[in-house]
Amino acid sequence: MGESSVKTLETRTEASSPHVTESETRPGSQRALLPRLRAPRRPRIWFEILLIGVSYWTYSLIRNAVPEQKAAALANADWLWDLERTLGIAVEHSVNHAVNSVTWLIVGMNYYYATLHFVVTIGVLVWIYRFHPGRYAATRLVLFATTGVALLGYYFFPLAPPRLMNGQDFVDTVLVHHTWGSMASGNLKHMSNQYAAMPSMHIGWSLWCGLTIFAVASAPWAKILGLLYPVATLVVIVATANHFWLDAAGGMLCLAFGYTVSRAWYGSLPHRLPREPEAKDPHPATAALLNRFRRS
């Protein structure tokens, strides 16, 4: 009797042990959710187009909703101009007038300012999506975080661009040469906040493009072009009197923040992640959403 009771008790204990183990692993599975969320997955084209479109629309809406504080923006421009003079870097006026004297060059820069800001950025996103899908999400997060934090600068530090300053004789090159271009000049000026010059997202985005190309491209000529692109953009934003040098510094700080956010989330810089995504299963958030639709 005693031996059979012991065996029966052991059998019951062994039979019930899998249920105990399963309940104990549930918290572990919940803790494992965060690494699953962070794991790079192959991006979906429809989702990316929707996400980028909605994000840019939201960014433009918030940026243009920031009060256009003309008096404060002009005062901040005067203060920044005096600071650059103190630092010995206030050469924007000379660059603006020198380049403006060469018509074909300044007209080309006007179109550069108006178009490449979007064309190159979208092109780099498409390139990473197509050929480096494992690095795409982290690279995109850098761009999104950079753009998002820039809104804080627009809100807390309204700044007039050099071309709108009083008494400094900067040339608004779009108006003078009648070129279609910046939404901050001419007939399109009412569609954009005129006093959101700090930080410069022309620099933030172009430097993001340049560093991404330099870090990921294999061809030496592509790496060189990648590094030259933000340098050329810096010259353009100054020559067209749309930004100060220090606006560019603000854009670089925003980009540094973007890389910090991406590295904190993915545990690595984008270019150090695998070229192909390791995770093959659906994203946990997507799976949860699909399950909810199936149940309904």
Side-chain angles (χ1 to χ4, degrees):
M1 287 291 291
E3 292 180 359
S4 61
S5 300
V6 172
K7 290 181 179 179
T8 303
L9 181 60
E10 290 176 351
T11 303
R12 289 177 180 175
T13 302
E14 291 174 358
S16 61
S17 61
H19 298 286
V20 175
T21 304
E22 181 181 355
S23 63
E24 290 176 352
T25 57
R26 286 177 184 172
S29 62
Q30 293 176 356
R31 288 194 297 269
L33 178 62
L34 188 58
R36 289 171 60 202
L37 288 171
R38 290 175 171 175
R41 284 169 170 75
R42 186 170 296 278
R44 308 293 187 195
I45 183 64
W46 64 267
F47 176 77
E48 294 305 323
I49 293 176
L50 180 63
L51 179 63
I52 293 172
V54 171
S55 299
Y56 184 74
W57 175 80
T58 304
Y59 164 77
S60 300
L61 186 66
I62 296 174
R63 181 180 185 272
N64 295 334
V66 173
E68 293 195 9
Q69 303 172 13
K70 181 176 180 179
L74 290 173
N76 286 337
D78 290 335
W79 175 83
L80 196 67
W81 184 236
D82 289 339
L83 176 61
E84 288 196 351
R85 285 176 173 174
T86 302
L87 296 174
I89 60 174
V91 296
E92 290 92 334
H93 186 274
S94 300
V95 173
N96 174 236
H97 280 260
V99 178
N100 184 66
S101 64
V102 184
T103 302
W104 65 267
L105 181 58
I106 195 60
V107 168
M109 287 187 174
N110 285 341
Y111 288 121
Y112 180 113
Y113 184 87
T115 59
L116 293 191
H117 179 52
F118 301 101
V119 172
V120 176
T121 302
I122 294 174
V124 172
L125 275 173
V126 171
W127 173 57
I128 295 295
Y129 173 91
R130 176 65 179 83
F131 296 103
H132 302 268
R135 298 161 179 161
Y136 176 81
T139 305
R140 182 197 62 201
L141 181 57
V142 174
L143 183 64
F144 278 31
T146 299
T147 307
V149 76
L151 294 173
L152 296 177
Y154 302 147
Y155 187 87
F156 291 106
F157 193 75
L159 181 69
R163 59 186 174 75
L164 292 182
M165 291 180 69
N166 294 323
Q168 298 299 332
D169 191 32
F170 280 96
V171 179
D172 190 332
T173 59
V174 171
L175 288 178
V176 170
H177 296 280
H178 307 288
T179 53
W180 178 88
S182 172
M183 291 185 68
S185 297
N187 296 328
L188 299 176
K189 65 182 179 181
H190 299 296
M191 298 176 61
S192 179
N193 185 353
Q194 295 288 287
Y195 305 109
M198 171 66 84
S200 168
M201 280 299 93
H202 271 75
I203 291 300
W205 288 13
S206 66
L207 189 57
W208 171 86
C209 292
L211 292 177
T212 300
I213 294 171
F214 179 79
V216 175
S218 56
W221 63 265
K223 291 179 177 291
I224 294 173
L225 287 179
L227 294 180
L228 288 178
Y229 175 54
V231 175
T233 301
L234 179 60
V235 175
V236 167
I237 66 172
V238 171
T240 56
N242 279 293
H243 288 284
F244 297 96
W245 295 120
L246 291 181
D247 297 343
M252 294 176 189
L253 289 176
C254 289
L255 182 63
F257 173 82
Y259 274 109
T260 301
V261 170
S262 182
R263 190 182 188 285
W265 180 255
Y266 288 101
S268 177
L269 292 174
H271 69 278
R272 293 179 178 173
L273 293 171
R275 181 171 182 170
E276 294 292 333
E278 296 178 355
K280 301 297 183 182
D281 55 314
H283 195 282
T286 304
L289 185 61
L290 290 175
N291 289 334
R292 177 170 296 183
F293 278 118
R294 289 168 183 168
R295 290 173 185 174
S296 60

